[in-house]
Amino acid sequence: MTGPADLIFYFVAALTVASAILVATLPNIIYSAVALLFSFAGVAGLYVFVSADFLAATQVLVYVGGILILILFAVFLSNRISTVKISNPVHFNWQAALLCLALFGVLSYTAVSTKFPVKPGLSYQPTTAEIGELLMTRYLLPFEVASVLLLAALIGAALLSRPEGEKERSADMEEPK
Amino acid sequence: MEALARSLVSAVPAIAGVPLWTVTLLMMVLSAAVLLAFALTFGGLGSYVLRKVAGDIQVRIGPNRVGPYGLLQFLADGAKLLLKEDIIPAKADRFLFILAPYLVFVGSFAAFVVLPFGVGLTASDLNIGVYYVMAVTSLVVVGILMAGWASNNKWALLGGMRAAAQIVSYEIPVGMAIMPAVLIAGSLSLQDIVRSQGGLLGIFGWNLFHNPFTFFSFFLYFTAAQAETNQTPFDIPEAESELVSGYNVEYSGIRYAFFFLAEFGDMFVVAALATACFLGGWHVPFFRAEALPALWGNLLSLAVFLIKAFALVLVMMWVRWTLPRLRVDQLMRMSWKYLVPLTFVNLLGVSLWLLIFKGKGIPALIASLIG
């Protein structure tokens, strides 16, 4: 099928890749974060193209609404972040380049050699009900394990973020004795 | 949209030669333009009503100079905002400063696409409707944070941080409070949710009266959503008395107008979602608007939907001018210690209710008892 749909697909794919490159190369970490926003949006668009609507919305909700905001918060709360030296000190490092090349090789080998189950003819059918049913039946154990992991992370974060305050308060409480 | 375009092409012989995608694209652009016109008009007239309501509540007159009863005040304001000098602070981050208002507006306006305005009046009835609204509104947070940081102003940064923390916190109770409606309809599509509230029970078919838990859910949703849109009493991101105006303090002219319009757009989206999920959407009590000819059915249901949504907007304004502002820590406590547990209990309650009574609400149970 050639037509506007293909053009839009190539535009979205180019947007995703170009902003991903910008994320890695921009000197200012805040601009990297902004480029990441467009990269995430592009990936969501790609999901729409393979008729995974629920996944696309999840992509936006989790990555833009959660992770990107977390990154922005971390960046804004650190001092003097916009200077290149602090936010992105090493621009080229041959060990890192080697690692990247190796990872790229493995990933592209996997992507090419794997036989993906392709549905004959894309049908833009709703996927939400199917996903929900599979999560509650066939993939219930991984689903529950993931939620327990997230809960543990949540409790851990709450604990880590308040050790000093807790000690001070208990010290204050003990003093009047 | 494409099916509609196909039927249009086959119905009108004059455009038979035009490729299908052009017709589809034109229809998409047209529906987006209609929605945009609606959002902008709502923003303008909303600002007038907001000021009038404020005037009434504070025992003053409010705008009364431009046009009869000051009705044209919003046009004058719009012209003023368009003509004002566009100031970008010298130390601001130019690129992000310019980008931020667009992100905020897009995040707010994109939610309009799935709103069920009438029997067949939805720009795109996505089957993930509610979820989509939750997802796109998260763009607003990024825009606000960006505006706060790019302004290079301590008040703006503090306001942006507060806004982001607040919106992210209240997203959870908002999502959880809307879930009962999704459970009852068995679908995330807003049109399906509205359709599930019809029937011969009149207003007792609404999800609001389905069972005690949905009744509470409506109020939980309305409270949490008001906080998510940064309205008073939850307007600490703007807090005029401490932060001057918060994240938008450095913006002027049309860029400020974008934030302003996005705020009113959010207000309408919240009211419209509450209407669709709990107040029966476009359903006319004791009357089937779907049974009318398409044009009249659509017009009637549109009018009913707008009346319900506008009534909720008025309640929001009323609350806005009545209650004092919460403190930051009170706001966070409100979300995490009260709203989140309550919405979870509610969700559990609704699920149990649906399980025990096989999806029937109190009115339906009573109706089946009577006969």
Side-chain angles (χ1 to χ4, degrees), chain B residues 228-239:
Chain B
E228 211 198 353
T229 52
N230 301 337
Q231 306 272 342
T232 330
F234 308 101
D235 73 333
I236 54 153
E238 290 188 23

Side-chain angles (χ1 to χ4, degrees), chain A residues 16-80:
Chain A
T16 315
V17 175
S19 20
I21 292 172
L22 282 179
V23 173
T25 53
L26 279 174
N28 187 335
I29 197 165
I30 291 192
Y31 286 117
S32 292
V34 176
L36 199 60
L37 166 70
F38 289 101
S39 187
F40 285 153
V43 172
L46 291 180
Y47 281 139
V48 172
F49 267 98
V50 292
S51 80
D53 49 358
F54 188 78
L55 215 54
T58 310
Q59 165 83 13
V60 174
L61 190 70
V62 172
Y63 283 93
V64 177
I67 290 176
L68 187 68
I69 288 167
L70 208 64
I71 293 174
L72 283 175
F73 251 83
V75 171
F76 290 169
L77 288 174
S78 6
N79 213 2
R80 286 182 297 150

Side-chain angles (χ1 to χ4, degrees), chain A residues 25-172:
Chain A
T25 53
L26 279 174
N28 187 335
I29 197 165
I30 291 192
Y31 286 117
S32 292
V34 176
L36 199 60
L37 166 70
F38 289 101
S39 187
F40 285 153
V43 172
L46 291 180
Y47 281 139
V48 172
F49 267 98
V50 292
S51 80
D53 49 358
F54 188 78
L55 215 54
T58 310
Q59 165 83 13
V60 174
L61 190 70
V62 172
Y63 283 93
V64 177
I67 290 176
L68 187 68
I69 288 167
L70 208 64
I71 293 174
L72 283 175
F73 251 83
V75 171
F76 290 169
L77 288 174
S78 6
N79 213 2
R80 286 182 297 150
I81 202 74
S82 42
T83 43
V84 185
K85 273 183 187 163
I86 294 170
S87 55
N88 215 350
V90 185
H91 251 125
F92 187 79
N93 186 330
W94 66 269
Q95 291 110 327
L98 216 64
L99 208 64
C100 285
L101 269 181
L103 186 65
F104 182 73
V106 171
L107 282 180
S108 42
Y109 174 75
T110 323
V112 172
S113 64
T114 310
K115 276 214 155 208
F116 291 104
V118 181
K119 268 190 191 172
L122 275 176
S123 53
Y124 290 90
Q125 293 295 321
T127 56
T128 320
E130 274 175 63
I131 292 176
E133 213 168 300
L134 283 176
L135 276 184
M136 282 292 124
T137 52
R138 194 166 160 199
Y139 299 103
L140 185 60
L141 187 67
F143 181 70
E144 289 297 331
V145 169
S147 47
V148 169
L149 180 75
L150 286 176
L151 187 66
L154 202 70
I155 295 172
L159 194 72
L160 282 177
S161 60
R162 59 190 301 189
E164 284 103 335
E166 206 70 338
K167 266 177 213 155
E168 271 169 29
R169 197 187 292 166
S170 54
D172 286 347

Side-chain angles (χ1 to χ4, degrees), chain A residues 4 30-31 34 37-38 53-54 57-58 60-61 64-65 68-69 72-73 76-77 81-82 126-128, chain B residues 21 93 95-96 99 103 127-128 131 134-136 138-139 141-142 145-146 149 157 161 164-165 168 188:
Chain A
I30 291 192
Y31 286 117
V34 176
L37 166 70
F38 289 101
D53 49 358
F54 188 78
T58 310
V60 174
L61 190 70
V64 177
L68 187 68
I69 288 167
L72 283 175
F73 251 83
F76 290 169
L77 288 174
I81 202 74
S82 42
T127 56
T128 320
Chain B
W21 64 267
D93 188 317
F95 176 67
L96 295 184
L99 181 67
L103 278 183
N127 66 74
I128 51 163
Y131 197 55
M134 300 292 301
V136 289
S138 57
L139 262 182
V141 193
V142 180
L145 259 180
M146 221 176 255
W149 186 82
L157 183 59
M161 292 287 215
V168 169
L188 285 167

Side-chain angles (χ1 to χ4, degrees), chain B residues 257-279:
Chain B
F258 269 108
F259 284 117
F260 180 80
L261 287 170
E263 201 184 309
F264 275 93
D266 275 344
M267 248 167 120
F268 182 78
V269 168
V270 163
L273 268 188
T275 307
C277 290
F278 295 101
L279 301 184

Side-chain angles (χ1 to χ4, degrees), chain B residues 94-122:
Chain B
R94 271 192 83 90
F95 176 67
L96 295 184
F97 189 84
I98 291 170
L99 181 67
Y102 298 126
L103 278 183
V104 172
F105 186 74
V106 165
S108 153
F109 177 63
F112 276 77
V113 172
V114 293
L115 295 183
F117 283 96
V119 177
L121 292 176
T122 312

